[in-house]
Amino acid sequence: MSAAAKRILIVDDDMDFRNSVTVMLEANGYAVTGVASAKEALESIPRSMPDLVVLDVMMECDSAGYEVNHAIKFREDFQLARDIPILMVSSIPLDPASRFDRAPEAQMITPDYYMTKPLDFTNFLERVRILLEMRRESGTPTDRAAAR
């Protein structure tokens, strides 16, 4: 499947971030939609079924992104979206597994991959490609929470 067929949902309350990442992804042939909140993401995902979600952590509350990640991966009403990879991008320097290393629930909020802002666009595009390939090959990414 070509990159043009791949749909990416960007979930971030920073309009400048959404716009810059949208321009970069569209220049590489991806179809991009952006939303500004976890609430909008949870409404959009079941309707649009993107191939990848790029997700911020802190939006309408400090844990909004974690809540979206949990919903996609574990909530019954998102069962059809389970195999959508999540690339979490945040200014928080630690991925959830490291940040909450003593909490047994940390795996419930850990994305498929975690990157910190500001983005290295070359690494970001490579990770997008890898996550999309992993979904196509296996249906579920296996490379959980490798921090960059």
Side-chain angles (χ1 to χ4, degrees), residues 1-2 16 50 80 89 98 111 123 131-132:
M1 197 180 298
S2 71
D16 291 335
L80 295 176
V89 179
S98 299
N123 287 340
L131 286 170
L132 289 168

PDB file of all heavy atoms in Angstrom, residues 1-2 16 50 80 89 98 111 123 131-132:
ATOM      1  N   MET A   1       0.856  -1.180   0.000  1.00  0.00           N
ATOM      2  CA  MET A   1       0.000   0.000   0.000  1.00  0.00           C
ATOM      3  C   MET A   1       0.897   1.235   0.000  1.00  0.00           C
ATOM      4  O   MET A   1       1.862   1.306   0.721  1.00  0.00           O
ATOM      5  CB  MET A   1      -0.891  -0.024   1.247  1.00  0.00           C
ATOM      6  CG  MET A   1      -2.066   0.895   1.156  1.00  0.00           C
ATOM      7  SD  MET A   1      -3.122   0.869   2.638  1.00  0.00           S
ATOM      8  CE  MET A   1      -3.680  -0.799   2.673  1.00  0.00           C
ATOM      9  N   SER A   2       0.582   2.232  -0.796  1.00  0.00           N
ATOM     10  CA  SER A   2       1.407   3.433  -0.882  1.00  0.00           C
ATOM     11  C   SER A   2       1.156   4.355   0.307  1.00  0.00           C
ATOM     12  O   SER A   2       0.134   4.277   0.971  1.00  0.00           O
ATOM     13  CB  SER A   2       1.099   4.182  -2.177  1.00  0.00           C
ATOM     14  OG  SER A   2      -0.173   4.773  -2.093  1.00  0.00           O
ATOM     15  N   ASP A  16       0.332  25.181  16.013  1.00  0.00           N
ATOM     16  CA  ASP A  16       1.573  25.286  15.243  1.00  0.00           C
ATOM     17  C   ASP A  16       2.224  23.920  15.043  1.00  0.00           C
ATOM     18  O   ASP A  16       2.714  23.609  13.957  1.00  0.00           O
ATOM     19  CB  ASP A  16       2.556  26.246  15.921  1.00  0.00           C
ATOM     20  CG  ASP A  16       2.094  27.691  15.876  1.00  0.00           C
ATOM     21  OD1 ASP A  16       1.320  28.058  14.964  1.00  0.00           O
ATOM     22  OD2 ASP A  16       2.501  28.463  16.767  1.00  0.00           O
ATOM     23  N   PRO A  50      -8.026   5.865  11.422  1.00  0.00           N
ATOM     24  CA  PRO A  50      -6.736   6.197  10.811  1.00  0.00           C
ATOM     25  C   PRO A  50      -5.778   5.009  10.864  1.00  0.00           C
ATOM     26  O   PRO A  50      -5.973   4.064  11.633  1.00  0.00           O
ATOM     27  CB  PRO A  50      -6.230   7.351  11.677  1.00  0.00           C
ATOM     28  CG  PRO A  50      -6.886   7.138  12.998  1.00  0.00           C
ATOM     29  CD  PRO A  50      -8.238   6.564  12.685  1.00  0.00           C
ATOM     30  N   LEU A  80     -12.349  -2.276  17.504  1.00  0.00           N
ATOM     31  CA  LEU A  80     -11.996  -2.285  16.084  1.00  0.00           C
ATOM     32  C   LEU A  80     -10.780  -1.415  15.784  1.00  0.00           C
ATOM     33  O   LEU A  80     -10.175  -1.534  14.718  1.00  0.00           O
ATOM     34  CB  LEU A  80     -13.187  -1.843  15.233  1.00  0.00           C
ATOM     35  CG  LEU A  80     -14.391  -2.770  15.261  1.00  0.00           C
ATOM     36  CD1 LEU A  80     -15.543  -2.187  14.452  1.00  0.00           C
ATOM     37  CD2 LEU A  80     -14.015  -4.151  14.738  1.00  0.00           C
ATOM     38  N   VAL A  89       3.986  11.818  21.109  1.00  0.00           N
ATOM     39  CA  VAL A  89       5.003  12.862  20.983  1.00  0.00           C
ATOM     40  C   VAL A  89       4.703  13.913  22.041  1.00  0.00           C
ATOM     41  O   VAL A  89       3.627  14.499  22.049  1.00  0.00           O
ATOM     42  CB  VAL A  89       4.967  13.497  19.575  1.00  0.00           C
ATOM     43  CG1 VAL A  89       6.002  14.590  19.457  1.00  0.00           C
ATOM     44  CG2 VAL A  89       5.182  12.438  18.500  1.00  0.00           C
ATOM     45  N   SER A  98       8.799   4.446  31.713  1.00  0.00           N
ATOM     46  CA  SER A  98       9.888   4.936  32.559  1.00  0.00           C
ATOM     47  C   SER A  98       9.373   5.902  33.622  1.00  0.00           C
ATOM     48  O   SER A  98       9.804   5.865  34.778  1.00  0.00           O
ATOM     49  CB  SER A  98      10.939   5.652  31.716  1.00  0.00           C
ATOM     50  OG  SER A  98      11.491   4.782  30.770  1.00  0.00           O
ATOM     51  N   PRO A 111       2.421   3.880  24.806  1.00  0.00           N
ATOM     52  CA  PRO A 111       2.135   3.832  23.373  1.00  0.00           C
ATOM     53  C   PRO A 111       3.033   2.824  22.660  1.00  0.00           C
ATOM     54  O   PRO A 111       3.923   2.223  23.267  1.00  0.00           O
ATOM     55  CB  PRO A 111       2.463   5.257  22.918  1.00  0.00           C
ATOM     56  CG  PRO A 111       3.576   5.658  23.829  1.00  0.00           C
ATOM     57  CD  PRO A 111       3.226   5.046  25.172  1.00  0.00           C
ATOM     58  N   ASN A 123      14.016  11.397  12.042  1.00  0.00           N
ATOM     59  CA  ASN A 123      13.675  10.243  12.892  1.00  0.00           C
ATOM     60  C   ASN A 123      12.164  10.057  12.990  1.00  0.00           C
ATOM     61  O   ASN A 123      11.670   8.922  13.010  1.00  0.00           O
ATOM     62  CB  ASN A 123      14.279  10.400  14.282  1.00  0.00           C
ATOM     63  CG  ASN A 123      15.777  10.200  14.283  1.00  0.00           C
ATOM     64  OD1 ASN A 123      16.342   9.604  13.375  1.00  0.00           O
ATOM     65  ND2 ASN A 123      16.429  10.722  15.308  1.00  0.00           N
ATOM     66  N   LEU A 131       6.182   2.192  11.946  1.00  0.00           N
ATOM     67  CA  LEU A 131       4.920   1.830  12.611  1.00  0.00           C
ATOM     68  C   LEU A 131       3.860   1.428  11.598  1.00  0.00           C
ATOM     69  O   LEU A 131       3.103   0.477  11.813  1.00  0.00           O
ATOM     70  CB  LEU A 131       4.428   2.973  13.494  1.00  0.00           C
ATOM     71  CG  LEU A 131       5.204   3.171  14.786  1.00  0.00           C
ATOM     72  CD1 LEU A 131       4.804   4.477  15.457  1.00  0.00           C
ATOM     73  CD2 LEU A 131       5.016   2.006  15.737  1.00  0.00           C
ATOM     74  N   LEU A 132       3.789   2.129  10.483  1.00  0.00           N
ATOM     75  CA  LEU A 132       2.817   1.773   9.445  1.00  0.00           C
ATOM     76  C   LEU A 132       3.153   0.422   8.821  1.00  0.00           C
ATOM     77  O   LEU A 132       2.256  -0.379   8.553  1.00  0.00           O
ATOM     78  CB  LEU A 132       2.742   2.869   8.389  1.00  0.00           C
ATOM     79  CG  LEU A 132       2.083   4.164   8.858  1.00  0.00           C
ATOM     80  CD1 LEU A 132       2.305   5.283   7.852  1.00  0.00           C
ATOM     81  CD2 LEU A 132       0.599   3.965   9.132  1.00  0.00           C
TER      82      LEU A 132
END
